[in-house]
Amino acid sequence: MVQEPVVPEPRLPRAVVRRYALGSVGTGGFATLPGLVLIFYRTDTLAVAAWVAGLIVTLVRVWDVLIDPVIGAHSDAALVRCGTRARAMVVGALALPVLFVATFAVPPGTGAALAALWVGVAYLAASTAFSLFQVPYIALPAELTGDYDERSRLLGWRVAVLSLAILAFGGLGPLLRDVGTEYTGYLLMAAVAGLTIGAGLLISTRVAPRMPPGAAGGVRAAGASGAMAAYRAGLRVLRRSAAFRVLLLAFALQAVATGAMLAGANYVAVWVMESELALSLLFAALIAPAIALAPLWGRLAYRIGKKRSFTWASLLFTIGTLALVASAFAPGAWMYLPVALAGGAYAGMQAMPMAMLPDVIGDDAARHGEDVAGVFGGVWTAVETTGMALGAAALTVVLTMTGYVETSGGVTVTQPAPAVVGIALSFSLLPAVLTAASLLPLWRYRIDARARMDDDASKGRP
């Protein structure tokens, strides 16, 4: 019997890669600015207690856990019914800029309780709009290409743009915030950032595949039966895909680590390094190496595989953050060097798991005969955003336990020494421990070698 030759998948057009990557202008902006300034905005401008600020972030992320799997299941249903996932993405892209501005539009003189409620409600609505875009966006790579290396290329460029967006929003956002009064500065920052975020998201919606309604017949319309069906679909993919479970756990631990660092950066600049300018310099030190090295992580994955590349990135990040522990006792300009090492590693920690997720989705589809990429994307997004929020919440716990003093706009305070040490350790020791722990589940990931061998065989490579 003559075996039919396997035709390799075509290389993704550059326009598709560019448009998909541009979505990370928006996702990077929304992930960066709230994580960087929102808790600081509450504690040091609105005089909201640190534990209240942390509680609000946690409650918003609980909502994300509830809504993201539902959005993912409905995205799969929409793919069957309408032939595309783009509709929800467009709604989220249009709504997010307005809701983002509303989050930072608390009028001067508003009481702390009402201010906390205002920000909490607006941020919850903005997070919902973000999920409408983000969940289908994460599902797209598995549908854009089935090629192992093309997925690395696609996600590598996405991470390069993501890193550039983090640098731009993290570096320029605080500078815009410092224009005018604290209240008008935050509003200006939110308006400029919101418009930029919305533009990036809208451009990326054009990359979503469009098929005739009903053409994606292998997709189960899990969202058609309501929220409980969506949760059951999410639990089903967790139960049946061991690779998804271990990859998700590793990524979740690293999300907590990066969430703690992101939320702590503003505090480190002001109270540890005692310089407002240090915040922009910290971001430059963190993200500039990530931008430079993002394509190199893709090339490394081509040579040694995604799992091993992910492992090396995690180890380097652990080393960089562990070196920062000394900042609790001797802060200074030397901190930019280990931050740069962590930044270069961060690019790999983002690119590799996002390139591995489509492999997991493809493996599951091959084993079970159904494509539920939206369900995978919903669970992934819920866990990622929850991890980032838990990192921020961990910082607020440390601030509360060490006696951090909240303040309203324009009022100067002195922080107790334990609070300053706690801020430094939240930025260094906590991320190091969590990232090191993420290597344990990653060790059990098994798809990488098999996927690469199957892909090499399809391309006729030895």
Side-chain angles (χ1 to χ4, degrees):
M1 183 176 181
V2 178
Q3 184 176 358
E4 291 288 335
V6 179
V7 179
E9 293 206 15
R11 187 174 173 85
L12 283 172
R14 291 181 180 178
V16 171
V17 175
R18 284 196 300 267
R19 288 172 186 165
Y20 184 77
L22 281 174
S24 286
V25 171
T27 62
F30 188 75
T32 300
L33 270 185
L36 178 66
V37 303
L38 194 52
I39 289 180
F40 195 81
Y41 174 57
R42 289 167 176 158
T43 60
D44 284 47
T45 296
L46 305 179
V48 175
W51 71 270
V52 175
L55 178 63
I56 292 172
V57 171
T58 301
L59 290 176
V60 171
R61 292 318 175 200
V62 169
W63 171 250
D64 284 334
V65 170
L66 295 175
I67 198 67
D68 287 353
V70 177
I71 291 173
H74 276 280
S75 178
D76 288 334
L79 184 62
V80 173
R81 187 174 61 253
C82 306
T84 183
R85 301 182 188 273
R87 292 187 179 184
M89 297 172 70
V90 171
V91 172
L94 292 174
L96 183 55
V98 177
L99 297 169
F100 189 73
V101 172
T103 302
F104 293 94
V106 180
T110 303
L114 181 57
L117 180 62
W118 177 309
V119 175
V121 172
Y123 186 48
L124 183 144
S127 294
T128 303
F130 178 70
S131 291
L132 287 173
F133 175 88
Q134 172 80 341
V135 172
Y137 181 68
I138 287 177
L140 292 183
E143 297 166 359
L144 290 172
T145 179
D147 186 278
Y148 179 93
D149 292 318
E150 279 298 281
R151 288 169 177 167
S152 296
R153 173 176 167 245
L154 178 66
L155 274 303
W157 280 107
R158 179 195 165 184
V159 169
V161 173
L162 177 68
S163 301
L164 184 60
I166 293 172
L167 177 61
F169 283 95
L172 298 179
L175 296 179
L176 288 173
R177 177 193 61 183
D178 295 336
V179 175
T181 68
E182 284 195 74
Y183 292 93
T184 59
Y186 273 109
L187 193 57
L188 174 64
M189 176 200 74
V192 174
L195 289 173
T196 307
I197 288 169
L201 299 187
L202 277 174
I203 291 172
S204 196
T205 61
R206 297 178 58 195
V207 81
R210 287 167 170 80
M211 300 174 285
V219 182
R220 282 187 193 167
S225 301
M228 294 309 299
Y231 300 143
R232 286 194 295 270
L235 291 173
R236 185 168 63 247
V237 298
L238 280 170
R239 282 197 303 267
R240 74 191 189 190
S241 178
F244 185 51
R245 289 196 302 272
V246 296
L247 181 62
L248 189 66
L249 179 56
F251 192 64
L253 289 169
Q254 294 187 2
V256 179
T258 54
M261 289 192 75
L262 187 61
N266 207 153
Y267 292 91
V268 168
V270 173
W271 300 114
V272 178
M273 303 184 76
E274 299 181 346
S275 168
E276 293 281 358
L277 180 61
L279 179 59
S280 296
L281 296 178
L282 281 172
F283 260 82
L286 180 70
I287 302 304
I291 297 171
L293 295 180
L296 299 182
W297 284 109
R299 295 177 187 175
L300 183 65
Y302 180 81
R303 292 181 177 274
I304 68 174
K306 300 173 190 177
K307 176 183 174 179
R308 290 176 65 187
S309 298
F310 190 16
T311 300
W312 275 109
S314 303
L315 286 171
L316 290 174
F317 188 86
T318 301
I319 293 170
T321 50
L322 199 58
L324 286 168
V325 171
S327 67
F329 313 102
W334 65 267
M335 294 168 59
Y336 297 123
L337 185 59
V339 166
L341 175 61
Y346 176 76
M349 287 169 53
Q350 287 290 300
M352 292 305 103
M354 287 192 291
M356 293 158 76
L357 178 61
D359 297 336
V360 170
I361 295 172
D363 178 79
D364 180 82
R367 289 175 181 272
H368 300 284
E370 61 173 353
D371 177 6
V372 285
V375 173
F376 278 96
V379 175
W380 184 271
T381 302
V383 170
E384 178 185 9
T385 54
T386 301
M388 294 288 288
L390 287 175
L395 172 65
T396 63
V397 170
V398 172
L399 294 177
T400 301
M401 292 178 62
T402 55
Y404 184 84
V405 180
E406 298 84 14
T407 183
S408 58
V411 178
T412 302
V413 298
T414 300
Q415 297 297 341
V420 177
V421 172
I423 291 168
L425 294 181
S426 297
F427 191 73
S428 56
L429 183 61
L430 178 60
V433 170
L434 289 168
T435 307
S438 72
L439 293 171
L440 296 177
L442 181 59
W443 179 75
R444 299 177 57 198
Y445 182 82
R446 294 288 182 265
I447 284 182
D448 201 51
R450 183 175 67 254
R452 183 59 186 268
M453 287 188 294
D454 291 346
D455 199 52
D456 284 347
S458 73
K459 295 177 181 177
R461 294 192 299 227

